[in-house]
Amino acid sequence: LIRLFDSSDMVAKQTLEVIRDEVIDLKVQLGMYPLRNQEAFNQAEIARGVALARDFRSIVVGVSVGNETMVSWSFNPISPTEMTRYLKQVRGQVTQPVTTDDNWAFYAAAPQELLDTIDYAAVHSYPLLDTIFQPGLWDWQQTAVPAEQRAAAMVAAAIASAKREIGAVRTYLDSVGRRNLPLVIGETGWKAAPSGGETMRAHPVNQQLYVQALREWQAEGRRTGTGPQAVFVFQAFDEPWKQGDDLWGFFNVNRQARCVVRAAFPSSQWAP
């Protein structure tokens, strides 16, 4: 299962066509990417997304409208009222379940009208970024642990922080009558190398440890009925154009595989 962020011809349509034409065993959460104060663009984007959801019904298993638009620090702010309008518009035209992707801090206090419009909550949690923007939120240094154990201890503490954030969302949803609303992690990840100050944290081995811990958490959630029902790990490929927000990829910009996915590729395709 992969996530696409928009419904553009250049990215979304071509990706869906390749999956269909090459008979690749992939399902897709399709995105629609509205922009602030761009109603004409947004209506065109919704029209493209609806058409793709209908044309690729066997591949598109969910539709997400918007990405981190309602959390307080959004660089592309769209009000919950406006987002609810877009969600209702899309939901009335597609058969797939519909959501909006946003940070856990928004979802832990989301307005009822929006929650009543979505079919599942797609919640973001980034413990690694928290060490930059909220130093002290959790102990990434783990100095009380022997040096050779600190990477594993750091990742365990990161997962514990993510569990607290996702747990806060689940508690809130339950408290407002949405106990049966499914919850997925719409984004989380770990950088393979520092690009925004994450020295001694971002590393390809730490990335592998974090993804493995996410898999264990998801498996536990499926056994017990608690926790996320799916996890989207950000992201497939590096994006140098993002500069300080780059180097999250399972593959570098040359399409070479990092530790987290090396087992699926010959050593000639491994990242150095």
Side-chain angles (χ1 to χ4, degrees):
L1 177 63
I2 63 172
R3 177 185 170 197
L4 299 175
F5 284 73
D6 69 9
S7 288
S8 65
D9 289 344
M10 184 171 66
V11 177
K13 185 177 181 181
Q14 288 198 63
T15 301
L16 290 166
E17 288 174 340
V18 169
I19 293 171
R20 178 196 62 196
D21 296 346
E22 300 297 327
V23 197
I24 299 173
D25 185 18
L26 278 177
K27 300 298 183 184
V28 171
Q29 176 184 280
L30 180 65
M32 299 180 191
Y33 203 92
L35 299 175
R36 181 188 185 191
N37 298 329
Q38 298 287 332
E39 185 65 17
F41 171 87
N42 295 345
Q43 289 302 321
E45 173 77 349
I46 287 172
R48 285 191 297 268
V50 168
L52 290 175
R54 290 174 173 174
D55 291 346
F56 296 89
R57 198 182 308 269
S58 64
I59 299 172
V60 175
V61 296
V63 175
S64 178
V65 184
N67 184 69
E68 295 180 343
T69 59
M70 294 170 288
V71 67
S72 61
W73 43 257
S74 176
F75 74 92
N76 178 37
I78 295 175
S79 72
T81 298
E82 188 173 12
M83 182 56 66
T84 298
R85 174 169 63 87
Y86 291 142
L87 287 164
K88 287 179 177 179
Q89 181 181 352
V90 172
R91 200 170 183 229
Q93 299 182 73
V94 302
T95 58
Q96 294 92 339
V98 173
T99 190
T100 182
D101 270 78
D102 220 307
N103 183 265
W104 76 271
F106 166 77
Y107 263 115
Q112 188 76 49
E113 182 184 20
L114 185 138
L115 294 178
D116 288 344
T117 307
I118 60 175
D119 298 300
Y120 62 103
V123 185
H124 297 187
S125 176
Y126 278 102
L128 177 59
L129 290 183
D130 289 342
T131 68
I132 301 296
F133 297 111
Q134 294 180 277
L137 181 65
W138 61 276
D139 179 16
W140 68 267
Q141 293 177 309
Q142 297 291 308
T143 54
V145 176
E148 67 275 11
Q149 299 174 20
R150 285 179 189 164
M154 175 181 65
V155 169
I159 291 292
S161 182
K163 286 183 176 181
R164 286 191 296 271
E165 294 176 348
I166 299 302
V169 175
R170 184 74 267 169
T171 297
Y172 173 73
L173 294 176
D174 293 353
S175 74
V176 296
R178 298 311 313 270
R179 185 176 298 275
N180 294 323
L181 186 70
L183 186 155
V184 307
I185 296 182
E187 273 187 46
T188 190
W190 200 274
K191 290 189 180 186
S195 63
E198 308 88 358
T199 304
M200 300 185 72
R201 284 153 281 176
H203 190 280
V205 173
N206 294 344
Q207 180 188 57
Q208 182 182 30
L209 290 172
Y210 185 70
V211 171
Q212 180 57 41
L214 287 173
R215 289 173 177 152
E216 292 170 0
W217 179 17
Q218 183 175 346
E220 175 191 355
R222 287 177 174 173
R223 287 195 307 270
T224 63
T226 62
Q229 297 190 14
V231 179
F232 289 98
V233 185
F234 189 83
Q235 65 185 17
F237 303 105
D238 283 351
E239 297 177 299
W241 60 274
K242 285 189 173 179
Q243 299 179 350
D245 196 32
D246 187 25
L247 302 176
W248 296 92
F250 284 9
F251 301 85
N252 65 20
V253 72
N254 297 314
R255 301 311 197 239
Q256 295 170 307
R258 292 196 169 110
C259 299
V260 67
V261 289
R262 276 184 177 178
F265 298 90
S267 59
S268 61
Q269 294 177 243
W270 290 0

